[in-house]
Each structure stands twice: as structure tokens, then as C-alpha cells.
Amino acid sequence: MAAKDHPNNAPGVPMVFPPWFERFQIKYFNPAVKPFARFLPGTATITHRGRKSGKAYETIITPYRKGQVLAIALGHGKTNWVKNVLAAGEADVQFSRNRVVHLTNPRILPAGAEGPDAENLPRMVRMQLRRIGVFVADIA
């Protein structure tokens, strides 16, 4: 299946990684890294609830923070964790063993977006926003 035909490839949130890489990451990389992801620089774990099951899930992310805004580039497109957080309207992000922040007002900025929301993002995320969608949420 090509990336353009993948269910994660949503309008404004293109999937830049090939589907085989996503399967590899889900099956091998994430389980290997999850136990110590919160200790690695630049990574965190987002805790969210399933839209249908209500089950708690943890997903490894690469967040960028500026003030009271947290941004995550969506290189894999609109994945299940993104849909879950948008549906729930909230989530928790664990940066380290004891540093947890609560996210509210989640939204997606589509690729190429401009305006005040985009200008308030960290520089690295603004560069990525040119080609891929970005998940943005406020820190409560």
C-alpha cells in the first residue's frame, strides 16, 4: 500500500514516512524504546484513551514546547493517538519520571498553515509545518 492510499494520510496531514517504516516502528522500535523513552532527550510519552474502547494507551512522541503550547510534528499522518486525543479533548504527556503535563484544546495545523497559531510555535516545528501537519495543544 502506498502512503497516499494509507488511512493515516488525511487532507492537510500528509504521511511522509512509507507504510513499511510505520509497521516496523510499531512492531519493533516502539516496544524496545518504550520502557526508557522518558529518559531519552527529546522524547516523551503521551497517555490517551481509546475512542471506542476507553482503554488507556501510551505512545512515544517527540514534543516541542514553547511557553504553554506543546507541538508534535505528524510525520506518520493522522494516527490513532491523534484521533483519540482530538476525540477526548485532553491527554497527559510524561516528559520524565515525575514531570507530567496535562494537555487541553488539541488541534491540528495542516501542512503549510500560516497565522498566529503557526507563529507561536517553536522554530523547529515551524520548519516542519511547511511539509507536514502539526498537532498543537495548550498546557493546562
Side-chain angles (χ1 to χ4, degrees), residues 20-35:
W20 68 264
F21 181 73
E22 181 175 11
R23 287 189 302 273
F24 171 81
Q25 188 172 9
I26 290 169
K27 188 170 183 178
Y28 300 108
F29 183 76
N30 287 354
V33 173
K34 189 179 274 187

Side-chain angles (χ1 to χ4, degrees), residues 48-136:
H48 53 94
R49 294 236 168 247
R51 299 181 301 285
K52 299 173 186 171
S53 67
K55 180 181 171 188
Y57 291 99
E58 289 184 347
T59 305
I60 300 167
I61 57 170
T62 306
Y64 300 92
R65 182 177 179 175
K66 184 175 180 184
Q68 291 300 103
V69 174
L70 188 98
I72 304 161
L74 301 175
H76 291 284
K78 196 171 180 180
T79 58
N80 282 328
W81 77 261
V82 175
K83 294 173 190 175
N84 290 343
V85 174
L86 290 173
E90 63 181 5
D92 291 320
V93 174
Q94 185 173 8
F95 286 98
S96 63
R97 201 175 0 212
N98 296 322
R99 253 182 63 205
V100 177
V101 296
H102 185 73
L103 301 181
T104 59
N105 189 24
R107 57 208 179 270
I108 293 180
L109 296 180
E114 296 178 2
D117 257 357
E119 292 171 7
N120 293 331
L121 297 176
R123 184 173 183 265
M124 181 64 98
V125 177
R126 286 194 316 263
M127 290 174 25
Q128 294 174 353
L129 185 59
R130 295 175 193 158
R131 291 192 58 222
I132 60 179
V134 173
F135 172 88
V136 180

